[in-house]
Amino acid sequence: MAQQEDVFKKLVSHSKEYGFVFQSSEIYDGLSAVYDYGQMGVELKNNIKKYWWESMTLLHENVVGIDSAIFMHPTIWKASGHVDAFNDPLIDNKDSKKRYRADVLIEEYLAKIDDKINKEVEKAAKRFGESFDEQKFRETNPRVLENQAKRDEVHSRFAKALNETNLEELRQIIVDEEIVCPISGTRNWTEVRQFNLMFSTEMGSTADGAMKVYLRPETAQGIFVNFLNVQKTGRMKIPFGIAQIGKAFRNEIVARQFIFRMREFEQMEMQFFVQPGEELKWFEYWKKLRMAWHQALGFGAEKYRFHDHDKLAHYANAATDIEFEMPFGFKEVEGIHSRTDFDLGSHEKYSGKKLQYFDPELNKSYVPYVIETSIGVDRMFLSVLAAAYHEEQLENDSRVVLKLPPMLAPVKLAVLPLVKKDGLPEKAREIIDSLKFDFACQYDEKDSIGKRYRRQDAIGTPFCVTVDHQTLEDNTVTIRHRDTMAQERAVIDSLGDAIAKQTDLKHLLKKIAE
Ligand code: ATP
């Protein structure tokens, strides 16, 4: 674990050193849980957004996009439940003065018990070798059984307390299980309190009686309130979806994990409107498709898992998370929720306007049910960086390389003249001028070729091309591959096609459309 945290620290400093992510307002000592994306970060982030957007809108005839405003009528947040129920249960440790989410403390405690069980199983698997029967071991080993019984007991208390919003019981679980503050190591806890996560501000001058408005805590509501606009003007037939990418704001209490939990972040959400009764079928459909989207990146299926919710939000009748193995454990990157007709029904009630669909096949009107897929751009960004980050020991050297999927890499090709004279820089520029319309290229002439390769490795550039004296004679260059470091000679005219073949987003899209 310590090693993993080490990797995480290195990832954070690497992100800064190479222009991926900066602390916001750094020269003023920063603003907590707010971050800026640098010159490399913005490219990677845009590529992630493009991958998501195109997978939604190009691959599905019946999914269209919108871009709604951050400010919305305040009653929307009443109708959505955010004014009354968008709360986190928080608890303070009186010694360290640190604030925690009570639910997160308990979840981490449960994860520790799981780890213990898994370690027992791993140990036994090693000891017994081929003849190991994991299921039998889990069902009979006394230590595993004891831990499992403990886990089940705490888990059922926890799920019940969450569902009933029983704050005293949440605290009691922390006390009974002797959960300590990771900083002070003590069990000196305050009561558990609810805390609303929405930021508010005022619209209009106070003289006219300003209106209290909120910074949206999710992009989804902008989709719901535009449901009929899009359905009518786009002549959409159910089932159909509306996708949106945009900023969201939450006044998070615990904001310590870099861009994992931010106060200003970006979401990619899609609401899919279906006939009531068909929602669970579509829930399964989107679950499968969203997992395929993640796995197409090629980081390995073992890095992802589904985690079904213990507590269903007030609007949901099925919900799961896609979790990714971050350096600090498996964490939610995306949520897939069956939201029933809660949102549209509630907006009907609060606005007094009908939000129904006339189904020509059934010859009747109804409020559609909704399946939502909701993913944080920044969390996705962090998962991609974490999976891509590698430190490699080479024969006489070491390197840090970001093994980014080439389609997402900020720079696809670096063109490097071997020396800064003899017409090599001019030749290198010529190559860039012919390829810059197809993908992002970078020119670099400073330092030795080895150092320049390292710089490109560190930002994840999949291809480097070196221009040398032979290039001037026969129009060939050395092309060097980031992951294998293999080098080969290629004619300049073949570069465009060869690189596009590996960096064009459509190859990723084809994988998930199969
Ligand atoms: P968590 O339990 O981690 O607070 P959540 O279940 O409240 O997350 P949702 O409301 O389902 O999250 O939001 C959908 C997605 O938005 C999440 O899967 C995550 O990727 C992203 N997200 C939510 N809150 C944040 C945040 N504070 N910073 C960055 N991304 C976030």
Side-chain angles (χ1 to χ4, degrees):
M1 196 62 195
Q3 210 181 354
Q4 291 283 48
E5 274 161 21
D6 231 29
V7 171
F8 185 50
K9 272 195 200 136
K10 285 187 191 162
L11 199 63
V12 175
S13 58
H14 189 86
S15 295
K16 181 178 173 195
E17 191 180 345
Y18 288 94
F20 284 88
V21 182
F22 305 127
Q23 171 78 63
S24 156
S25 323
E26 197 185 87
I27 60 169
Y28 290 94
D29 295 333
L31 186 64
S32 170
V34 185
Y35 292 89
D36 298 335
Y37 286 83
Q39 69 281 8
M40 287 301 141
V42 69
E43 298 292 343
L44 174 56
K45 195 179 182 206
N46 281 343
N47 291 340
I48 291 172
K49 289 198 270 188
K50 191 158 183 242
Y51 175 39
W52 184 87
W53 187 260
E54 296 195 348
S55 78
M56 286 293 171
T57 59
L58 295 188
L59 300 189
H60 303 276
E61 254 173 60
N62 59 349
V63 176
V64 293
I66 61 163
D67 182 17
S68 72
I70 288 171
F71 287 134
M72 292 195 271
H73 195 286
T75 310
I76 287 173
W77 303 112
K78 207 55 201 155
S80 70
H82 284 81
V83 170
D84 297 319
F86 193 48
N87 296 314
D88 274 346
L90 64 94
I91 189 165
D92 293 23
N93 182 272
K94 291 183 196 162
D95 298 319
S96 66
K97 308 268 185 283
K98 285 280 174 204
R99 183 161 288 176
Y100 299 91
R101 267 172 60 178
D103 55 332
V104 172
L105 279 180
I106 299 171
E107 269 168 13
E108 284 173 359
Y109 174 74
L110 289 171
K112 268 192 203 143
I113 304 182
D114 284 338
D115 276 352
K116 264 194 210 159
I117 297 174
N118 290 336
K119 278 210 185 99
E120 286 290 344
V121 174
E122 267 169 39
K123 248 187 5 206
K126 263 199 204 133
R127 193 152 21 97
F128 292 110
E130 296 244 309
S131 63
F132 184 59
D133 179 345
E134 181 175 329
Q135 196 185 345
K136 191 157 168 232
F137 181 79
R138 282 182 185 270
E139 285 166 5
T140 53
N141 179 276
R143 271 194 303 274
V144 170
L145 286 177
E146 193 186 316
N147 279 318
Q148 191 62 46
K150 175 95 228 158
R151 189 202 187 281
D152 292 347
E153 180 216 319
V154 177
H155 182 258
S156 82
R157 268 181 84 186
F158 175 52
K160 188 158 177 281
L162 277 184
N163 274 319
E164 294 168 356
T165 322
N166 185 343
L167 303 183
E168 279 113 66
E169 173 67 356
L170 281 179
R171 180 173 193 276
Q172 202 52 49
I173 296 172
I174 292 173
V175 170
D176 291 349
E177 297 310 315
E178 304 185 346
I179 297 175
V180 297
C181 163
I183 309 278
S184 66
T186 70
R187 287 180 258 144
N188 196 4
W189 296 109
T190 62
E191 295 304 305
V192 176
R193 282 168 296 137
Q194 295 274 33
F195 177 81
N196 193 288
L197 299 179
M198 275 198 297
F199 284 101
S200 64
T201 184
E202 281 170 6
M203 188 174 263
S205 74
T206 1
D208 322 329
M211 177 161 71
K212 180 174 178 182
V213 291
Y214 299 98
L215 297 187
R216 67 180 176 197
E218 61 175 31
T219 58
Q221 298 304 323
I223 295 178
F224 291 126
V225 296
N226 278 298
F227 156 72
L228 266 194
N229 283 339
V230 173
Q231 191 270 320
K232 291 219 161 107
T233 58
R235 290 175 296 118
M236 307 301 291
K237 284 205 178 66
I238 273 183
F240 75 92
I242 304 178
Q244 162 154 249
I245 299 179
K247 288 263 172 137
F249 304 82
R250 297 182 187 180
N251 196 2
E252 298 281 0
I253 309 156
V254 184
R256 280 195 275 270
Q257 277 159 329
F258 190 41
I259 55 172
F260 180 78
R261 194 175 294 289
M262 303 155 90
R263 295 202 165 108
E264 172 178 343
F265 59 103
E266 212 167 352
Q267 288 186 314
M268 307 191 278
E269 296 197 296
M270 195 278 306
Q271 311 292 328
F272 197 71
F273 300 91
V274 306
Q275 191 184 313
E278 297 212 325
E279 69 275 14
L280 293 181
K281 177 182 95 184
W282 288 108
F283 178 71
E284 290 305 320
Y285 171 87
W286 282 106
K287 227 177 120 169
K288 206 163 134 215
L289 207 59
R290 292 305 305 147
M291 187 57 108
W293 183 89
H294 286 276
Q295 294 192 352
L297 293 174
F299 292 127
E302 72 286 354
K303 290 206 172 287
Y304 305 86
R305 69 181 189 196
F306 285 114
H307 173 251
D308 295 332
H309 283 205
D310 292 323
K311 179 191 181 186
L312 290 178
H314 54 279
Y315 49 75
N317 71 355
T320 193
D321 295 335
I322 294 178
E323 293 188 337
F324 179 82
E325 192 175 14
M326 299 278 186
F328 40 89
F330 271 95
K331 295 286 170 195
E332 169 182 346
V333 173
E334 170 158 7
I336 301 159
H337 311 123
S338 171
R339 290 179 80 124
T340 67
D341 58 354
F342 172 81
D343 302 271
L344 290 180
S346 188
H347 287 307
E348 272 200 329
K349 226 170 24 210
Y350 277 84
S351 67
K353 308 274 170 16
K354 269 207 162 10
L355 291 176
Q356 302 200 352
Y357 170 78
F358 177 75
D359 194 322
E361 273 157 43
L362 301 177
N363 200 25
K364 67 171 190 185
S365 294
Y366 55 78
V367 177
Y369 271 41
V370 171
I371 304 300
E372 161 181 89
T373 72
S374 171
I375 168 169
V377 180
D378 315 270
R379 274 196 201 173
M380 185 62 203
F381 184 104
L382 181 59
S383 73
V384 168
L385 262 194
Y389 183 90
H390 286 83
E391 291 174 5
E392 284 181 356
Q393 202 50 52
L394 309 174
E395 237 167 75
N396 305 311
D397 197 2
S398 66
R399 67 167 184 165
V400 172
V401 51
L402 290 187
K403 295 188 175 176
L404 294 170
M407 299 80 172
L408 300 187
V411 178
K412 311 296 187 203
L413 171 69
V415 184
L416 320 170
L418 187 65
V419 289
K420 271 191 263 182
K421 53 182 187 183
D422 305 339
L424 300 188
E426 290 75 10
K427 189 72 187 169
R429 296 266 185 216
E430 219 177 85
I431 295 175
I432 290 187
D433 282 340
S434 71
L435 295 176
K436 69 185 177 194
F437 303 98
D438 299 318
F439 41 74
C441 303
Q442 198 175 72
Y443 175 84
D444 190 2
E445 61 176 21
K446 199 169 175 293
D447 300 320
S448 69
I449 284 289
K451 273 198 183 146
R452 283 182 260 170
Y453 281 158
R454 291 291 171 274
R455 276 202 292 270
Q456 296 300 331
D457 287 344
I459 59 170
T461 306
F463 302 101
C464 290
V465 149
T466 303
V467 175
D468 54 23
H469 292 94
Q470 195 188 327
T471 311
L472 302 180
E473 286 161 25
D474 64 4
N475 261 331
T476 65
V477 288
T478 302
I479 177 160
R480 184 251 193 194
H481 299 260
R482 177 195 68 197
D483 296 350
T484 57
M485 296 190 289
Q487 302 188 11
E488 58 185 323
R489 206 71 197 171
V491 284
I492 291 174
D493 286 348
S494 70
L495 288 177
D497 282 349
I499 294 170
K501 218 181 232 170
Q502 306 221 29
T503 57
D504 198 324
L505 199 53
K506 76 175 171 222
H507 301 296
L508 264 185
L509 295 173
K510 277 189 180 160
K511 267 201 215 171
I512 54 176
E514 271 163 12

